[in-house]
Amino acid sequence: MTPPNDPTSLTTATPDQLRLLTKIAVLYHEEGLAQGDISGRLNLSQARVSRCLKLAAELGIVRTSVVQPAGIYVGLEKALEEKYGLQEVVVADMVDDASLGMRLGSCAASYLETTIEVNDVVGISNWSTTLLQTVEAMRSRPRKVLSEVIQLIGGVGSPQAQIQATRLVSHLAELTSAKPFYMAAPGLVANNNIRQAFLDDPAVAATAEAWSRVNTSLVGIGTFPASPLWQASGNALTAAEENELLESGAVGEICLRYFDIDGKPMNPAIEERMISISSEAMLQIPRRIGVAGGMRKLAAIRGAINGGWVNVLITDSEVARQLLEPPRLDPGAPASRIR
């Protein structure tokens, strides 16, 4: 029997046509028969069976639905990518504050392992517990998977700051068989003369020169006022410098480069004694990965993505949802402080 002409819509289809389309769809999608088997059973050509399956989908008889498992937020990620023009967003399930760092680190490690390439030059910030957890969650590779790992900001200050900075760079370089570049200098020094003296040192100069080769940055997003980890690093701001930034509306920093809620660089006087990749150089890096979560960092994360300081964001589901909402004033804070 020759089937009737193909319908163009459900309203123009006859009951016989709908029955045929539905029967073929059930045999293929629910009973798992191959198109050749359906062809033999219904005495139709295989081309006709294929055409009917296509029609069943076009007319809505067959509908494809993707069921996202619990803790997976592809829709939320896509919405953030579209709203902020981000290359990619990875959202970790927010279970509790205690496990947040480990969840973010695990997601960031998985993202890096699947996207880094052998010719990539990765620049990494320090003073970030989340970045430490990221590197520690990565698996060692038997072959070279990165070219260079370069420290983007000085790490000498307190012994804790120096150890953490060295550990981040050395461990990531070891895992990926990359060449490490360390910044053997403080993030902040007393004045510009001392800063220049450090930059004249051959080892420090070699790392600073290597910043121009970075094509992927991996950074934490710092809050302002600073986190306890930063305050304990031995590279703290003076009270006057903090007040200047506060009055200017600073909400966060990356590698000591401060920005407001719109992502505008602050360019404070502190930069004259800073040993860190410049804002201009940082914003020119093609892939800028920021790993940060927790509601206390909401304003800093919003500023970072507004200003393009990061174009790949790895954060938690609670922060991700809030980023889709308009920013609001932080009660009790100056008018410039927005969350």
Side-chain angles (χ1 to χ4, degrees):
M1 179 180 72
T2 302
N5 293 331
D6 294 335
T8 58
S9 71
L10 285 175
T11 57
T12 62
T14 67
D16 285 341
Q17 289 173 326
L18 292 177
R19 176 185 173 279
L20 178 63
L21 294 177
T22 303
K23 186 166 187 175
I24 290 174
V26 168
L27 291 172
Y28 184 77
H29 291 286
E30 294 186 1
E31 297 188 17
L33 269 65
Q35 292 186 25
D37 295 333
I38 297 171
S39 172
R41 178 179 291 194
L42 300 183
N43 196 28
L44 301 171
S45 70
Q46 190 164 335
R48 183 65 181 181
V49 170
S50 178
R51 174 62 180 162
C52 285
L53 286 169
K54 183 179 179 182
L55 272 170
E58 291 174 353
L59 298 180
I61 295 171
V62 174
R63 298 180 184 181
T64 302
S65 102
V66 177
V67 178
Q68 296 187 30
I72 303 300
Y73 300 95
V74 173
L76 188 54
E77 294 168 354
K78 185 173 185 293
L80 284 171
E81 290 164 2
E82 292 176 350
K83 178 175 180 177
Y84 292 97
L86 296 166
Q87 289 183 11
E88 192 160 2
V89 174
V90 178
V91 175
D93 194 20
M94 178 60 172
V95 179
D96 54 60
D97 289 337
S99 63
L100 177 59
M102 292 181 63
R103 293 284 300 134
L104 290 174
S106 177
C107 286
S110 178
Y111 174 78
L112 284 172
E113 288 173 347
T114 56
T115 62
I116 55 177
E117 298 181 358
V118 68
N119 292 323
D120 282 345
V121 176
V122 172
I124 190 167
S125 65
N126 48 25
W127 300 319
S128 169
T129 303
T130 305
L131 290 189
L132 268 177
Q133 291 171 320
T134 296
V135 174
E136 288 174 354
M138 292 181 67
R139 297 168 296 174
S140 180
R141 303 294 184 88
R143 57 182 177 80
K144 185 181 181 70
V145 293
L146 274 182
S147 177
E148 297 171 333
V149 175
I150 302 170
Q151 189 174 331
L152 295 178
I153 177 173
V156 177
S158 70
Q160 179 187 5
Q162 184 174 2
I163 290 170
Q164 175 162 293
T166 303
R167 182 179 174 187
L168 268 171
V169 176
S170 62
H171 193 32
L172 181 57
E174 180 183 1
L175 290 171
T176 58
S177 300
K179 181 179 179 180
F181 283 78
Y182 303 97
M183 177 52 72
L188 286 174
V189 293
N191 54 57
N192 187 52
N193 289 335
I194 296 176
R195 173 182 177 272
Q196 192 56 54
F198 269 110
L199 291 174
D200 288 339
D201 178 82
V204 173
T207 297
E209 187 276 331
W211 289 337
S212 64
R213 299 196 295 272
V214 173
N215 65 5
T216 298
S217 58
L218 177 63
V219 300
I221 300 173
T223 57
F224 184 82
S227 68
L229 180 62
W230 162 244
Q231 291 173 340
S233 70
N235 295 280
L237 310 182
T238 67
E241 289 166 340
E242 281 200 356
N243 190 56
E244 176 193 352
L245 286 165
L246 185 65
E247 291 181 350
S248 300
V251 298
E253 58 83 19
I254 295 176
C255 294
L256 277 182
R257 303 298 175 177
Y258 290 87
F259 48 82
D260 64 14
I261 193 66
D262 296 318
K264 179 183 176 182
M266 296 284 92
N267 300 318
I270 183 182
E271 296 198 351
E272 295 181 358
R273 60 188 190 92
M274 188 183 298
I275 300 176
S276 167
I277 186 172
S278 70
S279 301
E280 295 78 11
M282 200 186 315
L283 291 167
Q284 290 300 311
I285 296 171
R287 184 165 61 146
R288 305 179 293 280
I289 306 167
V291 187
M295 290 300 293
R296 71 178 182 84
K297 288 197 171 186
L298 177 59
I301 294 169
R302 194 188 295 274
I305 58 180
N306 277 336
W309 296 85
V310 300
N311 55 19
V312 174
L313 176 65
I314 300 172
T315 191
D316 65 85
S317 55
E318 187 175 353
V319 166
R321 291 190 185 96
Q322 288 300 313
L323 288 171
L324 292 177
E325 300 294 329
R328 59 184 177 84
L329 287 176
D330 190 358
S336 60
R337 305 294 292 172
I338 302 176
R339 296 177 65 185

